[in-house]
Amino acid sequence: MSARAWLQFFRLHTASAEIGGFGIAAYLAGVRSFALIPILLFAIIVHATGFGENSLVDWLKGYDRTDPSKAHHPLNTGTIKTAMAKDAIITLHIVGVVLFIALIITYGAGANVSHLVIAIPSFALAIIAGNIYNFYSKVNKLLAPLEISLTFSLFTVAVYYGLGGNGGTVPDLLFLYAFFYVFFQIAQMGEAKELGQMNERNLLRRMGSYVDGDGIYHFSRANNVFMWALTAVKGAILISLALIVEGTGLAGAVTIFFIFAVLVSYGLLFMRVRTRSAALRIMGAG
């Protein structure tokens, strides 16, 4: 059993979303310098718990066992045994809860009852929504993006208020962006990655997208409209943040230009996706 197998099982190469989201939330709440390190550790643990559980559940339910593209995954190769995977997920759930409480005690000096009334239920609901996603996302495809987007957004809310954040337009926009960022990644890019699995519940297949006999991806017009609509929502949130933080001067204009350039480039790259490997690369770039 290798460290690489566990890294793959937990999909730690995609932990940047939690690290970035939780880190920004903590910074907005007033956490600075080296005090951010435990927050980033918490972000990694949350990611490993959720994605590790997803890997385990998908394997136990047979989805990953029959997917040729996942033949190299550690549960399929036997590098990681099922019992060990279960023990790891249970342990990480406990560690995550304990660490969240420790972070509030250590760094949440500004948090009072009104903060905790938001932080603790948000944390609990995030765990519930994440588990619903992991166990039922392959069956209820329509609700799956909503479940995982709520999970990520609610964890960000929990971190911010648990550390004593006092609210405001900027953190509210951060929570909203966290939701739509993950919604885009799952509803668009995640479904594109699984388009070839012939699951008729796949959202993109319902929109008319398909993979032909040669493994070439074909995205429907409805799919492209869906993708650009989500891109526009993300762009509107980011531009609003830029205007609040940077203002309407040169800094704001440059920031808005880069937001526009990155989002449009990403959308155009997606429209050129023709294989699963390309979909995975574009999803990672997101």
Side-chain angles (χ1 to χ4, degrees):
M1 180 178 58
S2 65
R4 181 178 179 180
W6 284 107
L7 291 174
Q8 190 176 43
F9 173 72
F10 292 129
R11 292 180 246 170
L12 288 180
H13 60 289
T14 62
S16 57
E18 287 87 352
I19 291 174
F22 294 8
I24 293 171
Y27 185 86
L28 290 176
V31 178
R32 296 291 185 272
S33 189
F34 292 107
L36 286 169
I37 294 176
I39 310 297
L40 303 185
L41 175 62
F42 174 68
I44 292 171
I45 289 175
V46 168
H47 179 90
T49 305
F51 280 78
E53 183 180 82
N54 185 266
S55 295
L56 176 61
V57 172
D58 280 0
W59 188 82
L60 290 173
K61 292 192 173 185
Y63 298 114
D64 287 358
R65 296 188 210 187
T66 57
D67 186 348
S69 66
K70 297 182 179 179
H72 63 289
H73 282 206
L75 288 173
N76 277 327
T77 61
T79 309
I80 295 177
K81 303 301 181 185
T82 307
M84 295 175 63
K86 290 179 178 179
D87 290 343
I89 298 304
I90 292 171
T91 301
L92 283 176
H93 269 90
I94 296 170
V95 170
V97 172
V98 171
L99 183 55
F100 180 67
I101 295 171
L103 289 174
I104 291 176
I105 294 172
T106 305
Y107 300 111
N112 54 37
V113 174
S114 63
H115 292 86
L116 298 181
V117 164
I118 298 174
I120 294 175
S122 295
F123 183 72
L125 287 172
I127 294 174
I128 292 170
N131 277 278
I132 291 173
Y133 173 81
N134 281 338
F135 283 90
Y136 300 105
S137 61
K138 291 292 192 297
V139 178
N140 195 339
K141 284 285 190 179
L142 289 176
L143 291 179
L146 177 63
E147 294 157 2
I148 192 62
S149 301
L150 279 173
T151 299
F152 186 79
S153 186
L154 286 169
F155 270 129
T156 309
V157 171
V159 169
Y160 176 77
Y161 283 102
L163 297 177
N166 290 314
T169 304
V170 170
D172 287 346
L173 286 172
L174 170 66
F175 307 148
L176 191 61
Y177 182 76
F179 178 90
F180 280 102
Y181 169 79
V182 176
F183 192 92
F184 179 90
Q185 288 297 100
I186 299 301
Q188 182 63 54
M189 302 312 302
E191 292 295 85
K193 176 174 65 73
E194 297 181 353
L195 192 57
Q197 291 184 353
M198 308 306 289
N199 184 345
E200 295 302 325
R201 297 187 181 95
N202 184 287
L203 294 178
L204 305 193
R205 288 180 67 85
R206 293 186 179 195
M207 295 181 197
S209 299
Y210 65 96
V211 179
D212 65 25
D214 295 322
I216 304 301
Y217 280 45
H218 300 271
F219 296 109
S220 67
R221 180 173 296 180
N223 190 171
N224 287 332
V225 169
F226 176 72
M227 184 270 294
W228 284 114
L230 288 177
T231 298
V233 172
K234 292 195 300 175
I237 297 169
L238 289 175
I239 289 171
S240 297
L241 278 168
L243 290 173
I244 293 171
V245 175
E246 300 291 353
T248 56
L250 179 61
V254 171
T255 303
I256 290 171
F257 170 78
F258 277 106
I259 290 170
F260 179 82
V262 170
L263 290 179
V264 170
S265 298
Y266 190 71
L268 292 174
L269 280 173
F270 171 78
M271 292 181 70
R272 295 176 64 86
V273 166
R274 290 295 177 266
T275 62
R276 186 178 187 276
S277 59
L280 284 171
R281 287 196 296 271
I282 298 299
M283 186 178 186

